[in-house]
Amino acid sequence: MNFLTLSELSYLIKSAIHSTLIDEYRVIAEIAQINYHVSSGHCYLDLVEKRDVAIAAKIRANIWAKNYRLIGSNFRKLTGRELQAGMKILALVKITYHEVHGLSLNILDIDPSYTLGEMALKRRQVIEQLTKEGIIDLNRKIPLPPVLQRIAVISSPGAAGYGDFLSRLKNNPYGYAFSHKLFHALVQGDKAEESIRSALRSSMKSKGMFDAVVIIRGGGSTVDLHCFDSYALAKEIALSPVPVLTGIGHERDETVADRVAHMRLITPTAVAEFLISKARLFIRQLNSFVNWI
């Protein structure tokens, strides 16, 4: 009876792969899991292809330390985001087979422009879904009070934009008094979406106490804005019974949260300026009415 040892079979598989396949392939896949080893500098990933919710294919992959420094830096610079689970990528890979570790892909490069396109596509799909449901403009249809004086603020207390917002509001040249309550939320990172949604729900429990809800991020960075493209967050903003103003602090493509909010103002300071200008206009109209009488 003929037989092979396991190592001999592994060698045949390895030889067949290396002799049959070309050196490099460009592959589209979703990152299912990613682990960066600080000590070695290597990055290990599970790549998958999904059909609806089912996984059609799954392969382990790695980015060796030397490549990861360059790939990670370039990706971060062009997308403003770290490589992370759930992200679709276009990668240049080399197929490798190891007698002990089995089949894997060695990632040589990642094209950030493809991921940016996927992000834009998801944003469009969310907007289309909200439009189909007939709720995309609901919050914009809520009449604004003449004066927005009682404000629910959703932000991280450490966010630079939150400090700018409060400073401008408190130090307005007309001495107008505004009251605000902070509903603490993470405004970037994997947990930001649920954190902002939770803060929004908490502010709604105090229904009738606020004239508007303000979502503030601010700061000079545009990292991790993906949480503001979430369908779940956008739906809660759209269905909010209180007008929602966004001051997320970016000038690039508007997020879905910006689109469904009552008003998008580019920076937290611009939100404060808008609130002050509303009060100023009301006082002017009131004085004109008094003088007319």
Side-chain angles (χ1 to χ4, degrees):
M1 181 175 64
N2 294 327
F3 62 86
L4 296 172
T5 66
L6 187 61
S7 62
E8 288 172 336
L9 178 60
S10 294
Y11 178 77
L12 285 177
I13 295 171
K14 184 175 183 179
S15 298
I17 288 174
H18 289 173
S19 62
T20 306
L21 302 176
I22 62 176
D23 286 344
E24 298 173 356
Y25 291 88
R26 293 194 179 275
V27 176
I28 293 172
E30 179 180 323
I31 300 174
Q33 186 174 331
I34 182 167
N35 293 298
Y36 171 66
H37 288 211
V38 178
S39 57
S40 66
H42 303 317
C43 184
Y44 299 92
L45 312 89
D46 285 339
L47 300 180
V48 298
E49 178 185 338
K50 292 181 180 177
R51 291 176 186 165
D52 296 326
V53 294
I55 294 179
K58 181 177 181 180
I59 300 181
R60 291 182 296 108
N62 56 63
I63 312 176
W64 301 132
K66 183 178 180 181
N67 279 340
Y68 183 71
R69 285 192 295 271
L70 180 61
I71 291 171
S73 175
N74 187 48
F75 191 88
R76 194 181 309 113
K77 179 180 179 182
L78 293 178
T79 69
R81 295 172 59 183
E82 301 287 346
L83 287 165
Q84 57 193 256
M87 187 177 281
K88 255 193 170 181
I89 59 171
L90 172 59
L92 178 65
V93 304
K94 181 177 182 179
I95 302 170
T96 63
Y97 183 85
H98 189 275
E99 290 83 347
V100 175
H101 302 296
L103 183 72
S104 66
L105 302 178
N106 178 18
I107 297 178
L108 306 175
D109 198 9
I110 293 176
D111 183 358
S113 62
Y114 176 83
T115 304
L116 282 172
E118 278 295 307
M119 290 163 59
L121 175 61
K122 287 183 179 179
R123 188 182 301 125
R124 287 197 302 271
Q125 290 172 337
V126 170
I127 290 174
E128 287 171 3
Q129 180 63 28
L130 294 166
T131 303
K132 183 179 178 181
E133 294 174 8
I135 63 175
I136 193 162
D137 290 321
L138 278 185
N139 198 258
R140 297 187 177 199
K141 293 178 181 179
I142 300 173
L144 283 179
V147 178
L148 302 173
Q149 198 166 17
R150 302 169 302 167
I151 312 299
V153 182
I154 296 176
S155 181
S156 166
Y162 176 60
D164 294 340
F165 171 79
L166 286 188
S167 176
R168 188 70 187 97
L169 213 57
K170 290 180 179 179
N171 300 313
N172 70 84
Y174 312 107
Y176 300 148
F178 296 89
S179 64
H180 81 281
K181 181 176 179 180
L182 174 65
F183 292 86
H184 176 239
L186 300 173
V187 289
Q188 65 181 50
D190 294 339
K191 298 180 180 179
E193 176 193 337
E194 180 51 39
S195 182
I196 297 169
R197 290 178 61 199
S198 177
L200 186 59
R201 290 192 293 268
S202 295
S203 71
M204 292 302 101
K205 292 177 181 177
S206 306
K207 186 178 178 181
M209 287 184 60
F210 302 110
D211 301 316
V213 174
V214 171
I215 300 177
I216 285 175
R217 181 178 176 274
S221 174
T222 57
V223 174
D224 285 337
L225 288 175
H226 66 289
C227 62
F228 295 103
D229 287 327
S230 151
Y231 166 79
L233 174 59
K235 186 172 183 177
E236 292 205 29
I237 292 173
L239 297 176
S240 168
V242 178
V244 177
L245 312 180
T246 57
I248 298 174
H250 63 104
E251 296 185 18
R252 67 184 206 178
D253 297 341
E254 70 173 4
T255 66
V256 180
D258 291 322
R259 174 62 185 85
V260 297
H262 192 285
M263 183 175 293
R264 175 205 182 192
L265 296 134
I266 293 176
T267 65
T269 301
V271 177
E273 293 286 359
F274 173 74
L275 298 177
I276 295 166
S277 67
K278 281 282 291 181
R280 181 64 173 163
L281 178 61
F282 177 75
I283 294 297
R284 284 179 174 176
Q285 290 174 337
L286 186 61
N287 288 338
S288 296
F289 179 74
V290 171
N291 291 335
W292 180 78
I293 292 176

